[in-house]
Amino acid sequence: MKNILVLHTGGTISMQEDTQSGAVAPSLDHPLMDFTEAFKNLAYITTKQPFHLPSPHIRPAEMLTLKNLIEAECKQQSFNGVVITHGTDTLEETAYFLDLTLNIHIPIVITGAMRSSNEIGSDGLYNFISAVRVACCNEAKDKGVLVVLNDEIHAAKNVTKTHASNVSTFQSPQFGPIGLVTKREILFHYKPLYREKYDIEQISKRVALLKAYAGMEADVLDAIDDKKYDGVVIEALGQGNLPPCCLPGLKRLRKANIPIIVVSRCFKGVAQDVYDYQGGGKQLKEMGVIFSNGLNGQKARIKLLIALTKTTNQNKLSQIFQDPVCENEN
């Protein structure tokens, strides 16, 4: 029998649909708060509810609360795994935040639901049971924070919500799931090669996230400096290019020592300093723009928020945003 800590935070998995209007809203009592029946031969469940929020209400402050709570609970009691239920809209951001900041070797599993608890075809209970099963699995250790929904196990770094309402919304573009949940087994077929951890005690910086578009102008970037943001992530075009009208705004941000992280707005691929023209990636890198290796915009923002608690040095930030590469490429 395993000892599993369950943290309920809210989200669709805790909500109910109004049978008359069809509106979905938080229920007074979490429907899974006292659910232990399916685990009587698998695990002892300790349940806590640190907050009860729809996921659009989750901020980095709540993510830090979860991180601190998990560490405190694991110091007080010997747990074999942790399961977090969470709304799906920002689930991937909380998962990646915890992946970067928790230095715990037991399985940490996050799950949610696309349909509320009383809807036909509700997926919450099934996903919850699957998540607890994964948290009880010895092979789930040391694989980073895992996201488990719809019979699939995904790495926090790669997973993203791809559909507004479909139950198979969580996918890992280019990489796929790292494991599967079957009726009888938990099957892992690979593990992430690289892990990084940052010991943080507070989140106080402000980082904006912008999406590039045809004809984007510099005044959008000027607002980042005017409003005293500490950093900005830009989902750039293609492999990491921006319209030339943006250049004055980028120069202003760099003059103010505001770090600029560039990712691709494309669903797949990575941003690189390839194109050599006005606004092209090569020119952006020469200006001091930092290219992130494969993260999407929302996760690059989470990483920059965390990185800025450790350093504001441009060179160090650049190193933080680059994954290790094969030795023969250097």
Side-chain angles (χ1 to χ4, degrees), residues 72-321:
E73 291 292 327
C74 288
K75 284 182 180 178
Q76 293 179 10
Q77 190 173 344
S78 179
F79 287 105
N80 302 109
V82 179
V83 171
I84 303 165
T85 64
H86 195 289
T88 59
D89 286 349
T90 60
L91 185 151
E92 66 189 87
E93 289 162 84
T94 296
Y96 190 51
F97 181 96
L98 296 176
D99 191 61
L100 291 175
T101 59
L102 276 175
N103 192 16
I104 293 178
H105 298 286
I106 62 174
I108 309 293
V109 183
I110 302 187
T111 192
M114 294 300 293
R115 296 171 183 161
S116 57
S117 60
N118 64 334
E119 285 186 66
I120 295 174
S122 174
D123 54 331
L125 178 57
Y126 184 85
N127 286 339
F128 179 54
I129 293 172
S130 295
V132 172
R133 289 179 60 204
V134 172
C136 290
C137 176
N138 291 331
E139 290 188 0
K141 295 178 181 177
D142 292 318
K143 288 184 172 62
V145 173
L146 303 174
V147 173
V148 174
L149 292 95
N150 202 41
D151 286 336
E152 294 183 340
I153 307 168
H154 293 266
K157 181 178 180 180
N158 301 325
V159 73
T160 190
K161 187 174 182 178
T162 65
H163 194 286
S165 58
N166 196 298
V167 294
S168 63
T169 180
F170 281 95
Q171 306 289 330
S172 295
Q174 300 187 114
F175 303 100
I178 67 169
L180 301 173
V181 179
T182 73
K183 293 289 185 181
R184 293 180 175 84
E185 296 177 290
I186 307 299
L187 303 173
F188 286 96
H189 46 263
Y190 74 86
K191 64 182 292 185
L193 285 177
Y194 308 113
R195 301 282 304 283
E196 50 187 324
K197 298 296 174 189
Y198 302 94
D199 184 19
I200 65 169
E201 296 180 358
Q202 63 177 356
I203 289 286
S204 59
K205 304 296 185 180
R206 301 174 69 217
V207 175
L209 173 60
L210 301 177
K211 192 176 191 120
Y213 49 87
M216 183 178 183
E217 297 184 7
D219 56 359
V220 177
L221 297 166
D222 291 339
I224 302 300
D225 189 23
D226 292 339
K227 297 299 181 181
K228 306 303 179 186
Y229 276 84
D230 300 290
V232 60
V233 175
I234 304 174
E235 293 186 2
L237 308 173
Q239 291 192 55
N241 312 303
L242 290 172
C245 291
C246 292
L247 295 180
L250 294 174
K251 291 176 181 178
R252 178 180 173 185
L253 294 180
R254 290 304 307 127
K255 186 176 180 180
N257 292 317
I258 297 174
I260 306 165
I261 310 298
V262 161
V263 303
S264 176
R265 77 174 191 178
C266 298
F267 196 60
K268 296 181 180 181
V270 299
Q272 296 178 313
D273 55 325
V274 173
Y275 285 95
D276 189 8
Y277 52 71
Q278 289 291 302
K282 184 175 184 295
Q283 185 182 42
L284 299 184
K285 190 163 187 179
E286 290 170 352
M287 292 173 58
V289 171
I290 297 171
F291 282 69
S292 176
N293 196 359
L295 291 175
N296 62 22
Q298 55 268 34
K299 288 183 184 171
R301 176 181 172 270
I302 290 293
K303 189 170 186 177
L304 184 55
L305 279 170
I306 292 169
L308 286 172
T309 68
K310 313 304 289 185
T311 184
T312 58
N313 179 275
Q314 178 78 6
N315 290 332
K316 291 181 179 179
L317 287 173
S318 182
Q319 292 172 3
I320 286 172
F321 274 88

Side-chain angles (χ1 to χ4, degrees), residues 14-40:
S14 69
M15 297 184 185
Q16 291 189 334
E17 181 185 58
D18 184 279
T19 56
Q20 300 298 318
S21 68
V24 176
S27 55
L28 293 177
D29 298 312
H30 198 299
L32 299 178
M33 191 69 184
D34 299 315
F35 181 82
T36 59
E37 180 182 349
F39 314 124
K40 58 185 179 182

